Amino acid sequence: MKTNLAEFIKSTPEGKEADKILRTCVHCGFCTATCPTYQLLGDELDSPRGRIYLIKEVLEGNQVTAKTQLHLDRCLTCRACETTCPSGVEYGKLVDIGRHIVEQHVPRSPVAAFKRAALRAVLPRPAIFRPLFKAGQAMRPLLPAALKKKIQKPAEQDIGWPEPRHARKMLVLDGCVQPTLAPGINPATARVLDRLGISLVKDELAGCCGAVTFHLNRQEDGRDYMRANIDAWWPHVEAGVEAVVITASGCGTLVKEYGHHLAHDPQYADKAARISELCRDISEVILAEKERLEEVLGSSLSSLTSPLFSASAAKPRVAFHSPCSLQHGLKIRGTVEAILASAGFELTYVPDSHLCCGSAGTYSILQPELSQRLLKNKVEALESGAPVVVATANIGCLTHIQGGTALQVKHWINLLDERLT
Ligand code: SF4
Ligand code: SF4
């Protein structure tokens, strides 16, 4: 695609990056086939190709309007278009640049601005989010149906974190909302890794990965969360932790890109690049320990205590929802399914598994109608194979899908933990 970027952006790092990305797009439109919003709305401007065109217009100095903002807001940032694109267009990076500029030019209504400010103030801060969530749970019977769906019982209880006892150590990100919504995910991860000869440790000073704030277009504030995590983790890195383990693929996508987002910060660039190098989704860690896992699974075959296993002699049927952040962001495909299959679960077929469930960070709150349509389609697809449980790999998808199905939705590491118990 030919470009002629405007003076205000041309020579900046963002301008140079956007120009490079725009030039790789050949306008073929293959990406429209897998774009969830184009499938729902049928409008070219709600497709990746249309949005790329809108961003090009903005960067070339043309008028930025509320319509431009609307079509960029409707994008889920699911990055299915990146997986489909034959030219390797890095749409995710381009839309970050485009949205940031549009936000500076198009004011939001007071209600919309308040909503975004409230999300930025509450979600990344467990000290505010946890009591509000607990108050919401207490008042759940009185809440409207839409809100009730969002305030569920915590998905997994914390039943204990093993004492660090191994020479091999890895760090884990606790994140912001996950410890409240599903407090049992990271302890289960610690128990599984403990069985594999790795001690999982966390640093209480680390917090939100920065994604909530960054994707609400406060990108510099989002970078501050990244810097705070780097500061918290650095002593552990110097002490030799093998990896920074992430159990929410949405957070993992951003932590893998810390190096990119802080590349122009002289104080943090090198450290951020090192953290990105060390960042591993938990599925990558387990895959690397496959042989040890098989040994442990072999030795535990005669002592199955998982309620899923005791329910029937047949293999428990699991529908796995692969989050967009896992399959399109981190580009990890088939790994979790292979781990679950080797642990004795039967994976059901999930049609259109490349499509987003509609959670997409704060999308389910800011674009409720589109989000609910995607959720309905996703739940139908997940339930179509008659599973007994749904598994996923990201806290946002877990709580969103749980709001649309009577089946239990779990993080897959909890299934593996139950299997090893
Ligand atoms: S983003 Fe990729 S698939 Fe979409 S129009 Fe451009 S080159 Fe084609
Ligand atoms: S990120 Fe997802 S919703 Fe946005 S343009 Fe790409 S495929 Fe469509």
Side-chain angles (χ1 to χ4, degrees), residues 136-282:
Q137 278 185 317
M139 291 162 55
R140 198 168 178 269
L142 309 172
L143 296 175
L147 207 51
K148 246 186 214 169
K149 281 186 184 175
K150 297 207 175 298
I151 301 181
Q152 318 253 348
K153 228 173 57 190
E156 297 291 341
Q157 293 303 326
D158 177 357
I159 57 163
W161 193 296
E163 283 297 315
R165 60 185 174 121
H166 301 292
R168 294 184 65 191
K169 290 206 171 33
M170 294 185 182
L171 255 181
V172 69
L173 168 74
D174 238 0
C176 49
V177 297
Q178 182 171 294
T180 301
L181 298 177
I185 293 177
N186 281 357
T189 308
R191 288 191 296 275
V192 171
L193 291 184
D194 182 67
R195 296 286 299 268
L196 302 180
I198 299 164
S199 286
L200 193 66
V201 294
K202 58 181 171 176
D203 192 297
E204 301 296 339
L205 293 176
C208 177
C209 67
V212 172
T213 313
F214 191 90
H215 293 302
L216 283 168
N217 284 325
R218 290 298 166 98
Q219 301 186 346
E220 207 38 47
D221 294 345
R223 287 190 185 93
D224 284 342
Y225 282 100
M226 300 179 205
R227 292 183 187 103
N229 282 344
I230 293 170
D231 287 343
W233 290 335
W234 201 249
H236 300 274
V237 173
E238 288 184 322
V241 289
E242 285 181 38
V244 177
V245 181
I246 314 285
T247 54
S249 56
C251 309
T253 309
L254 192 74
V255 179
K256 275 249 161 105
E257 291 177 351
Y258 273 15
H260 166 73
H261 292 302
L262 293 171
H264 303 292
D265 179 332
Q267 212 188 324
Y268 281 88
D270 291 346
K271 288 181 178 176
R274 179 72 185 129
I275 294 293
S276 292
E277 249 174 40
L278 288 171
C279 171
R280 300 273 182 287
D281 182 76
I282 179 60

Side-chain angles (χ1 to χ4, degrees), residues 24-31 48-49 52 84-87 89:
T24 56
C25 176
V26 294
H27 236 63
C28 63
F30 286 173
C31 51
R49 184 171 60 180
I52 289 170
T84 314
C85 175
S87 303
V89 172

